[in-house]
Amino acid sequence: MQLQFRRHSTSGYDSNKPDSVLGRLFAPVFFMFFLGMGLLFEVLLVREAVSEIHRRSWPVVSCCILESSVRQESNSESPYRFAVKYEYQVNGAAYQSTRYQFKDSGSGDYAKVQRLANRYQTGLQTQCYVNPQNPSEAILEQDSLGMACFILIPTVFVLVGAGGIYGTWFYKSKPKNQKAALPEAKGKT
């Protein structure tokens, strides 16, 4: 008859104990959600930043403001919009556009929108940016690149998700109170 002794750690960690099935299933799903959402928003933000950088290469063309006013829309948190219409020419063909910026959003500040209408008064000769692949698309001003800073936020989610998946699937921790084995002293004479 042979007896087997099993060492138990006082820390509560037992290397022979199987991991919780629920923990092994739930944790990766949770971290995959983090990873997936982080990647989704990362792709959307990078795509928008690349588009904005591409628009910065659009050629500048002379244009004439035909109409300029403040338009009020009801049932909106940003009810005031800058309404503009301008005309420009590309390769001898005349075009018109009503776009101030590519992402034209309204404002809750009437004075701010009125300053734009005053700046781009009817009859003003100014410059606009024209899409070389589609000359019917033009803007008066470039959008800010400030949103490119937000690319770092989804990166945190990607790192947490990827690190969590790695940790739950591949990382095995060592018992906390395990002492390092000391080499035995060789025989003394």
Side-chain angles (χ1 to χ4, degrees), residues 64-80:
C64 179
I65 305 296
L66 302 175
E67 299 173 16
S68 175
S69 65
V70 177
R71 185 176 61 208
Q72 184 174 0
E73 298 175 352
S74 58
N75 301 328
S76 174
E77 289 182 19
S78 303
Y80 305 110

Side-chain angles (χ1 to χ4, degrees), residues 76-126:
S76 174
E77 289 182 19
S78 303
Y80 305 110
R81 301 220 183 276
F82 174 49
V84 66
K85 184 176 186 180
Y86 52 96
E87 185 176 56
Y88 58 96
Q89 290 191 1
V90 176
N91 296 329
Y95 296 93
Q96 290 184 355
S97 180
T98 58
R99 197 171 240 174
Y100 167 60
Q101 290 181 320
F102 193 76
K103 293 181 296 234
D104 189 16
S105 59
S107 174
D109 184 0
Y110 178 84
K112 178 181 175 183
V113 180
Q114 184 61 50
R115 282 192 296 272
L116 283 173
N118 292 342
R119 180 175 169 195
Y120 293 104
Q121 294 180 5
T122 301
L124 177 70
Q125 292 290 329
T126 188

Side-chain angles (χ1 to χ4, degrees), residues 31-49:
F31 288 118
M32 278 193 267
F33 176 77
F34 255 73
L35 179 65
M37 293 307 288
L39 286 173
L40 172 71
F41 284 105
E42 190 80 35
V43 166
L44 292 174
L45 287 173
V46 166
R47 191 176 77 184
E48 183 60 33

